[in-house]
Amino acid sequence: MRFLARAHQVPVRLIVGAFIVNSGLSKLKGGDEVAEQTHGTAKAAYPFLESRDAREFTRALGTTEVALGTAVMVPLVPSLLAGAALTAFAGGLGGLYLRLPGMREPGGLRPTQQGIPLAKDTWLLGIGAGLVLEELGRARGGRRGRGRGRR
């Protein structure tokens, strides 16, 4: 069996994946109050979510987080795929930070005290992008290396 995550990627993938799985499980175990709060925050940033049922939305989000976190943790999932999924997910979380009032200091990107929990999700964006860029760079370097050896 071939592992598709590189050894140095495993610790960060395990930690990030476990964090995301825990977040998803919390949403799935939460009751109506958790669903209303989660949905309320999401629809404030993304108004198109207004029409979604709060429980249904939160269940779908929790399930997505568990699936994403598991994919990030499992070393058989290619780092390019895990990184791309993590980057997309973190982009959505970044949108919450940028769109919700009171999350940032006026006129800038610095978080307010209230915004720090969402601002920290930029780390997920950086980790996901790092995985993607490393894999794309290795693929590109491998092609270049093969081409040079034949000349």
Side-chain angles (χ1 to χ4, degrees), residues 26-45:
S26 296
K27 287 175 181 67
L28 292 173
K29 291 179 184 175
D32 289 339
E33 186 177 321
V34 169
E36 291 298 328
Q37 182 181 5
T38 301
H39 184 249
T41 300
K43 71 182 182 183

mmCIF file of all heavy atoms in Angstrom, residues 26-45:
data_model
loop_
_atom_site.group_PDB
_atom_site.id
_atom_site.type_symbol
_atom_site.label_atom_id
_atom_site.label_comp_id
_atom_site.label_asym_id
_atom_site.label_seq_id
_atom_site.Cartn_x
_atom_site.Cartn_y
_atom_site.Cartn_z
ATOM 1 N N SER A 26 -19.245 18.206 16.719
ATOM 2 C CA SER A 26 -19.942 19.129 17.622
ATOM 3 C C SER A 26 -21.219 19.652 16.982
ATOM 4 O O SER A 26 -22.247 19.792 17.649
ATOM 5 C CB SER A 26 -19.037 20.305 17.996
ATOM 6 O OG SER A 26 -17.928 19.846 18.730
ATOM 7 N N LYS A 27 -21.155 19.949 15.700
ATOM 8 C CA LYS A 27 -22.353 20.418 14.994
ATOM 9 C C LYS A 27 -23.396 19.306 14.889
ATOM 10 O O LYS A 27 -24.590 19.539 15.058
ATOM 11 C CB LYS A 27 -21.987 20.944 13.612
ATOM 12 C CG LYS A 27 -21.281 22.284 13.646
ATOM 13 C CD LYS A 27 -20.844 22.707 12.264
ATOM 14 C CE LYS A 27 -20.123 24.036 12.291
ATOM 15 N NZ LYS A 27 -18.833 23.994 12.994
ATOM 16 N N LEU A 28 -22.949 18.089 14.618
ATOM 17 C CA LEU A 28 -23.877 16.976 14.482
ATOM 18 C C LEU A 28 -24.530 16.602 15.817
ATOM 19 O O LEU A 28 -25.681 16.171 15.840
ATOM 20 C CB LEU A 28 -23.159 15.753 13.891
ATOM 21 C CG LEU A 28 -22.722 15.890 12.438
ATOM 22 C CD1 LEU A 28 -21.871 14.698 12.023
ATOM 23 C CD2 LEU A 28 -23.925 16.044 11.513
ATOM 24 N N LYS A 29 -23.814 16.786 16.913
ATOM 25 C CA LYS A 29 -24.345 16.464 18.238
ATOM 26 C C LYS A 29 -25.168 17.608 18.823
ATOM 27 O O LYS A 29 -25.915 17.402 19.763
ATOM 28 C CB LYS A 29 -23.201 16.122 19.188
ATOM 29 C CG LYS A 29 -22.502 14.825 18.877
ATOM 30 C CD LYS A 29 -21.369 14.590 19.841
ATOM 31 C CE LYS A 29 -20.592 13.349 19.482
ATOM 32 N NZ LYS A 29 -19.416 13.170 20.345
ATOM 33 N N GLY A 30 -24.978 18.809 18.291
ATOM 34 C CA GLY A 30 -25.652 19.985 18.833
ATOM 35 C C GLY A 30 -27.145 19.946 18.569
ATOM 36 O O GLY A 30 -27.621 19.339 17.612
ATOM 37 N N GLY A 31 -27.866 20.628 19.392
ATOM 38 C CA GLY A 31 -29.315 20.688 19.241
ATOM 39 C C GLY A 31 -29.755 21.885 18.429
ATOM 40 O O GLY A 31 -28.990 22.448 17.628
ATOM 41 N N ASP A 32 -31.006 22.277 18.656
ATOM 42 C CA ASP A 32 -31.590 23.390 17.908
ATOM 43 C C ASP A 32 -30.850 24.701 18.132
ATOM 44 O O ASP A 32 -30.710 25.494 17.205
ATOM 45 C CB ASP A 32 -33.064 23.555 18.285
ATOM 46 C CG ASP A 32 -33.923 22.426 17.748
ATOM 47 O OD1 ASP A 32 -33.493 21.759 16.784
ATOM 48 O OD2 ASP A 32 -35.027 22.214 18.289
ATOM 49 N N GLU A 33 -30.365 24.923 19.341
ATOM 50 C CA GLU A 33 -29.649 26.173 19.633
ATOM 51 C C GLU A 33 -28.367 26.282 18.805
ATOM 52 O O GLU A 33 -28.071 27.326 18.231
ATOM 53 C CB GLU A 33 -29.318 26.258 21.125
ATOM 54 C CG GLU A 33 -28.709 27.581 21.530
ATOM 55 C CD GLU A 33 -28.456 27.653 23.029
ATOM 56 O OE1 GLU A 33 -29.284 27.158 23.808
ATOM 57 O OE2 GLU A 33 -27.414 28.229 23.398
ATOM 58 N N VAL A 34 -27.614 25.187 18.730
ATOM 59 C CA VAL A 34 -26.389 25.165 17.925
ATOM 60 C C VAL A 34 -26.735 25.375 16.453
ATOM 61 O O VAL A 34 -26.067 26.137 15.751
ATOM 62 C CB VAL A 34 -25.615 23.839 18.123
ATOM 63 C CG1 VAL A 34 -24.497 23.685 17.104
ATOM 64 C CG2 VAL A 34 -25.069 23.753 19.531
ATOM 65 N N ALA A 35 -27.789 24.721 15.993
ATOM 66 C CA ALA A 35 -28.200 24.853 14.592
ATOM 67 C C ALA A 35 -28.597 26.288 14.280
ATOM 68 O O ALA A 35 -28.191 26.835 13.242
ATOM 69 C CB ALA A 35 -29.357 23.899 14.289
ATOM 70 N N GLU A 36 -29.376 26.907 15.150
ATOM 71 C CA GLU A 36 -29.802 28.295 14.922
ATOM 72 C C GLU A 36 -28.608 29.244 14.917
ATOM 73 O O GLU A 36 -28.531 30.148 14.081
ATOM 74 C CB GLU A 36 -30.833 28.721 15.972
ATOM 75 C CG GLU A 36 -32.170 28.033 15.841
ATOM 76 C CD GLU A 36 -32.880 28.326 14.527
ATOM 77 O OE1 GLU A 36 -32.735 29.432 13.972
ATOM 78 O OE2 GLU A 36 -33.584 27.419 14.045
ATOM 79 N N GLN A 37 -27.682 29.051 15.844
ATOM 80 C CA GLN A 37 -26.502 29.921 15.913
ATOM 81 C C GLN A 37 -25.620 29.739 14.678
ATOM 82 O O GLN A 37 -25.186 30.717 14.062
ATOM 83 C CB GLN A 37 -25.699 29.633 17.176
ATOM 84 C CG GLN A 37 -24.488 30.527 17.329
ATOM 85 C CD GLN A 37 -23.705 30.203 18.583
ATOM 86 O OE1 GLN A 37 -23.998 29.262 19.311
ATOM 87 N NE2 GLN A 37 -22.686 30.996 18.847
ATOM 88 N N THR A 38 -25.364 28.489 14.295
ATOM 89 C CA THR A 38 -24.522 28.205 13.130
ATOM 90 C C THR A 38 -25.152 28.764 11.861
ATOM 91 O O THR A 38 -24.485 29.440 11.065
ATOM 92 C CB THR A 38 -24.291 26.686 12.991
ATOM 93 O OG1 THR A 38 -23.670 26.202 14.182
ATOM 94 C CG2 THR A 38 -23.423 26.362 11.796
ATOM 95 N N HIS A 39 -26.416 28.501 11.683
ATOM 96 C CA HIS A 39 -27.125 28.974 10.494
ATOM 97 C C HIS A 39 -27.219 30.493 10.500
ATOM 98 O O HIS A 39 -27.054 31.138 9.453
ATOM 99 C CB HIS A 39 -28.512 28.331 10.413
ATOM 100 C CG HIS A 39 -29.263 28.691 9.192
ATOM 101 N ND1 HIS A 39 -30.382 29.481 9.221
ATOM 102 C CD2 HIS A 39 -29.057 28.380 7.882
ATOM 103 C CE1 HIS A 39 -30.843 29.630 7.995
ATOM 104 N NE2 HIS A 39 -30.050 28.976 7.162
ATOM 105 N N GLY A 40 -27.469 31.075 11.649
ATOM 106 C CA GLY A 40 -27.560 32.532 11.740
ATOM 107 C C GLY A 40 -26.274 33.220 11.328
ATOM 108 O O GLY A 40 -26.291 34.216 10.599
ATOM 109 N N THR A 41 -25.151 32.679 11.777
ATOM 110 C CA THR A 41 -23.854 33.241 11.400
ATOM 111 C C THR A 41 -23.617 33.083 9.899
ATOM 112 O O THR A 41 -23.194 34.028 9.221
ATOM 113 C CB THR A 41 -22.721 32.546 12.183
ATOM 114 O OG1 THR A 41 -22.936 32.746 13.581
ATOM 115 C CG2 THR A 41 -21.364 33.094 11.798
ATOM 116 N N ALA A 42 -23.901 31.889 9.375
ATOM 117 C CA ALA A 42 -23.664 31.626 7.957
ATOM 118 C C ALA A 42 -24.538 32.505 7.063
ATOM 119 O O ALA A 42 -24.057 33.076 6.084
ATOM 120 C CB ALA A 42 -23.911 30.147 7.653
ATOM 121 N N LYS A 43 -25.806 32.643 7.397
ATOM 122 C CA LYS A 43 -26.695 33.426 6.523
ATOM 123 C C LYS A 43 -26.430 34.923 6.638
ATOM 124 O O LYS A 43 -26.716 35.662 5.698
ATOM 125 C CB LYS A 43 -28.164 33.089 6.782
ATOM 126 C CG LYS A 43 -28.714 33.583 8.082
ATOM 127 C CD LYS A 43 -30.163 33.138 8.252
ATOM 128 C CE LYS A 43 -30.719 33.677 9.557
ATOM 129 N NZ LYS A 43 -32.073 33.222 9.805
ATOM 130 N N ALA A 44 -25.835 35.362 7.739
ATOM 131 C CA ALA A 44 -25.459 36.776 7.845
ATOM 132 C C ALA A 44 -24.343 37.108 6.855
ATOM 133 O O ALA A 44 -24.298 38.202 6.300
ATOM 134 C CB ALA A 44 -25.022 37.113 9.270
ATOM 135 N N ALA A 45 -23.451 36.153 6.631
ATOM 136 C CA ALA A 45 -22.348 36.354 5.682
ATOM 137 C C ALA A 45 -22.744 35.973 4.264
ATOM 138 O O ALA A 45 -22.284 36.588 3.302
ATOM 139 C CB ALA A 45 -21.134 35.540 6.117
#
